[in-house]
């Protein structure tokens, strides 16, 4: 562990002093300086002298000659700061600690400790012939509570919301859906006739891939695993199973479908929460929006798969369905690698072993885009006064923060919470935070905004940015996660200016 101290004026201070991270500092060309025993570095008004000792480096301050505007009284003051493993706490001259407010929130219920958790029930709903929809539900006894429907991301299913089903199911009625063609909502029969084994020399039939036959079965003639199919699936599920308007929460692909559905059927949606929602889906043109362009693509995800697509699918499937490939993807999307993903990993692996999984992937990837893009769906929700909440993991390597901020710019009144550290799946990585925010947001909507949004002191404070540390206990240890709320009145330029100012003020730069 390296502990460093420094002293500087209130205008600017340097904290990144270790030679392996000094290049991250915002001083121009600092990263190009060789590591010497002493080096003088210039900022706008001051000169810093860096002296290296065996145990620490000390930063001293002297006025830069030629600048009459420098207040000499400032030079007699100092800001003391300590950095332990990159974490900084700053004190002013009076010794007051400048820190982010901390808020203690509830932990997840623990069954092993005797905590009460909501019972989760696994169900099947027959939507169409040969197409059974798998879903999980909890909290059915909460008859007067708000209903919430969770939509999964690409490649996963309702199992990814286990922590919401068990926790939020204690207060609300919860459903988590598997999209047709994913999870456990794969067809119960081969959509084509005459599918063959990958290796004809093996006769046990265990390696047969459905959908690789010569002709589509009657029930699968027009089957395509597209966002339009999933939109219709959500519509009939709400109409026939839930039977009342719901709050919809979607992660990644599920967020796209949630917004897409809400734009078409706002009367069935009480509100939409986007968890790192993907801002685009589909590669091929939509036949309704671009009929001429779509005719240039002879295959659009229907069954059976064309011969060339079969060969490509076989090659790709062998690679991405391998356990090591699945493990690598999970490592990418979770910012905190201490998060236990054993259940998620085994559930994904189980889905890949289904004979319809490979052809379903091909259908999804070659399906046409939706009739509305993400921006148009967002506009539709705003025009129909559908409440939208944004909860994004900051360290997502795929849907980076810029995408969430673009949504906030299009929908300025939508509350935006950015969690750090958290990756692409904040509901599974930091479920304590997501569940806390969802509870508070729903209370705000149900009370017609008379109850303040989570982390805000009053309904009026929705206009301003707020940063707080949320603390909770997990497995007997206290954890802390930073959550930033973006207000509705702060412009993107103002927010960028505050960001740069904070970096110059405290000398901390983090990508």
């Amino acid at each position: 562990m390296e502990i460093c101290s420094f002293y500087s004026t209130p205008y600017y201070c340097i904290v990144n002093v270790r030679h392996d991270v000094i290049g991250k500092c915002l001083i121009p060309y600092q990263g190009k300086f060789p590591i010497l025993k002493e080096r003088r570095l210039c900022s706008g008004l001051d000169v810093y002298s860096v002296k290296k000792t065996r145990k620490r480096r000390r930063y001293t301050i002297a006025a830069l000659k030629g600048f009459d505007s420098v207040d000499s009284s400032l030079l007699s003051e100092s800001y003391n700061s300590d950095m332990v493993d990159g974490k900084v706490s700053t004190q002013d001259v009076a010794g007051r600690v400048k820190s982010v407010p901390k808020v203690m929130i509830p932990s997840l219920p623990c069954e092993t400790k005797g905590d009460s958790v909501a019972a989760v029930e696994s169900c099947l709903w027959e939507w169409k012939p040969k197409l059974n929809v798998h879903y999980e539900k909890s909290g059915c006894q909460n008859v007067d509570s708000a209903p919430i429907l969770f939509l999964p991301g690409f490649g996963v299913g309702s199992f990814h919301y286990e922590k919401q089903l068990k926790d939020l199911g204690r207060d609300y009625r919860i459903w988590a859906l598997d999209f047709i063609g994913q999870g456990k909502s794969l067809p119960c029969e081969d959509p084509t006739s005459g599918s063959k084994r990958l290796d004809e020399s093996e006769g046990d039939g265990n390696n047969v891939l459905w959908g690789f036959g010569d002709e589509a079965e009657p029930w699968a003639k027009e089957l395509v695993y597209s966002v339009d199919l999933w939109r219709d699936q959500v519509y009939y599920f709400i109409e026939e199973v839930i039977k009342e308007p719901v709050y919809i929460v979607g992660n990644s692909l599920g967020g796209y479908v949630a917004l897409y559905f809400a734009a078409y059927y706002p009367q069935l949606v009480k509100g939409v929460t986007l968890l790192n929602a993907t801002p685009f889906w589909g590669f091929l043109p939509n036949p309704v929006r671009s009929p001429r362009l779509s005719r240039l693509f002879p295959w659009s995800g229907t069954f059976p798969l064309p011969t060339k697509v079969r060969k490509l699918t076989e090659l790709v499937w062998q690679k991405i369905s391998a356990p090591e490939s699945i493990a690598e993807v999970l490592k990418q999307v979770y910012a905190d690698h201490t998060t236990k993903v054993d259940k998620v990993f085994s559930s994904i692996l189980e889905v890949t072993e289904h004979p319809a999984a490979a052809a379903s992937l091909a259908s999804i990837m070659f399906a046409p885009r939706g009739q509305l893009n993400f921006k148009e769906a967002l506009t539709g929700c705003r025009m129909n006064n559908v409440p939208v909440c944004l909860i994004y993991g900051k360290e997502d390597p795929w849907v980076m923060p810029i995408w969430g901020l673009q949504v906030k710019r299009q929908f300025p009144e939508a509350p935006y919470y950015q969690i750090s550290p958290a990756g692409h799946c904040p509901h599974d990585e930091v479920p304590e935070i997501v569940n806390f925010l969802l509870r508070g947001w729903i209370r705000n909507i149900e009370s017609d905004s008379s109850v303040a949004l989570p982390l805000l002191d009053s309904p009026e404070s929705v206009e301003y940015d707020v940063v707080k540390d949320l603390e909770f206990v997990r497995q007997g240890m206290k954890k802390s996660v930073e959550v930033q709320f973006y207000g509705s009145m702060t412009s993107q330029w103002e927010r960028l200016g505050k960001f740069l100012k904070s970096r110059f003020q405290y000398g901390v730069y983090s990508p």
Side-chain angles (χ1 to χ4, degrees), residues 33-41 48-51:
F33 291 148
I35 303 302
L36 303 177
K37 292 185 178 180
E38 181 173 352
R39 171 63 61 181
R40 298 172 69 82
L41 307 177
Y48 294 81
S49 177
V50 183
K51 295 182 180 180

Side-chain angles (χ1 to χ4, degrees), residues 304-353:
L305 275 63
T307 303
K308 292 183 179 180
V309 175
R310 295 181 202 177
K311 294 180 179 179
L312 176 62
T313 301
E314 290 177 18
L315 292 174
V316 173
W317 185 248
Q318 289 177 3
K319 173 63 177 178
I320 66 174
S321 63
E324 56 270 20
S325 297
I326 298 172
E328 181 61 30
V329 170
L330 291 176
K331 185 178 179 180
Q332 288 180 18
V333 298
Y334 284 78
D336 183 359
H337 293 161
T338 65
T339 305
K340 293 184 177 180
V341 295
D342 297 352
K343 287 187 177 180
V344 174
F345 174 80
S346 59
S347 297
I348 295 175
L349 194 60
E350 181 183 353
V351 172
T352 64
E353 295 171 352

Side-chain angles (χ1 to χ4, degrees), residues 34-35 85 110 128 151 196 232 249 348 351 402 435 450 459 507:
I35 303 302
D85 291 343
C110 182
K128 293 184 177 183
L151 303 181
K196 299 179 181 180
D232 295 344
V249 182
I348 295 175
V351 172
I402 187 173
N435 294 0
S450 62

Side-chain angles (χ1 to χ4, degrees), residues 195-501:
S195 290
K196 299 179 181 180
R197 292 184 295 275
L198 281 176
D199 187 352
E200 291 292 338
S201 63
E202 296 185 15
D204 57 8
N206 291 330
N207 61 343
V208 170
L209 294 182
W210 290 0
F212 282 62
D214 300 322
E215 185 177 353
E217 296 289 354
W219 60 271
K221 287 287 186 182
E222 298 180 359
L223 179 62
V224 181
Y225 298 126
S226 66
V227 291
D228 289 314
L229 177 74
W230 298 326
R231 176 202 60 196
D232 295 344
Q233 176 189 353
V234 173
Y235 172 81
Y236 285 104
F237 185 81
I238 294 175
E239 285 279 299
E240 298 181 14
V241 179
I242 302 178
K243 299 180 180 179
E244 62 178 293
V246 299
Y247 290 98
I248 304 182
V249 182
N251 170 235
S252 191
L253 167 62
Y256 187 104
V257 176
L259 202 66
Y260 190 67
F261 172 81
Y264 274 94
Y265 305 105
Q267 73 279 8
L268 294 178
V269 181
K270 295 168 71 71
V272 173
T273 298
L274 305 181
L275 303 172
N276 289 73
T278 178
F280 42 81
W281 191 259
F283 300 103
L284 301 187
N286 184 277
V288 175
R289 296 188 59 156
S290 308
R292 292 183 179 179
L293 186 60
S294 64
R295 284 196 289 267
L296 299 177
F297 299 88
W299 186 65
S300 57
T302 55
F303 294 92
L305 275 63
T307 303
K308 292 183 179 180
V309 175
R310 295 181 202 177
K311 294 180 179 179
L312 176 62
T313 301
E314 290 177 18
L315 292 174
V316 173
W317 185 248
Q318 289 177 3
K319 173 63 177 178
I320 66 174
S321 63
E324 56 270 20
S325 297
I326 298 172
E328 181 61 30
V329 170
L330 291 176
K331 185 178 179 180
Q332 288 180 18
V333 298
Y334 284 78
D336 183 359
H337 293 161
T338 65
T339 305
K340 293 184 177 180
V341 295
D342 297 352
K343 287 187 177 180
V344 174
F345 174 80
S346 59
S347 297
I348 295 175
L349 194 60
E350 181 183 353
V351 172
T352 64
E353 295 171 352
H354 194 286
S360 298
L361 172 68
S363 178
I364 291 171
M365 301 309 295
F366 283 89
R369 301 189 190 105
Q371 295 183 34
L372 298 178
N373 60 35
F374 189 87
K375 184 177 181 179
E376 292 167 340
L378 191 64
T379 301
C381 289
R382 192 176 184 190
M383 291 177 61
N384 288 287
N385 298 316
V386 176
V388 173
C389 179
L390 312 171
I391 303 177
Y392 281 62
K394 182 180 179 181
E395 285 73 32
D396 187 344
W398 297 346
V399 183
M400 293 179 287
I402 187 173
W403 295 110
L405 290 173
Q406 285 188 6
V407 177
K408 176 65 176 176
R409 184 173 59 184
Q410 294 174 230
F411 209 137
E413 58 268 37
Y416 178 100
Y417 295 93
Q418 184 173 270
I419 308 171
S420 180
H424 189 61
C425 312
H427 60 285
D428 191 49
E429 190 171 0
V430 281
E432 298 89 351
I433 306 294
V434 171
N435 294 0
F436 171 79
L437 295 177
L438 282 175
R439 280 188 170 97
W441 178 66
I442 290 174
R443 282 196 294 267
N444 173 265
I445 300 298
E446 294 289 303
S447 68
D448 293 325
S449 298
S450 62
V451 175
L453 286 165
L455 306 186
L456 304 187
D457 297 327
S458 66
E460 293 75 24
S461 56
V462 70
E463 299 178 353
Y464 308 104
D465 291 4
V466 175
V467 181
K468 293 187 178 181
D469 280 344
L470 271 58
E471 294 185 341
F472 53 90
V473 176
R474 182 188 295 175
Q475 297 177 345
M477 298 184 64
K478 184 179 290 187
K479 294 181 70 71
S480 179
V481 176
E482 183 182 272
V483 178
Q484 180 164 3
F485 173 85
Y486 288 86
S488 60
M489 296 299 292
T490 306
S491 70
Q492 297 299 322
W493 286 110
E494 289 176 312
R495 195 165 286 127
L496 178 60
K498 289 180 179 180
F499 172 84
L500 295 176
K501 181 180 179 180

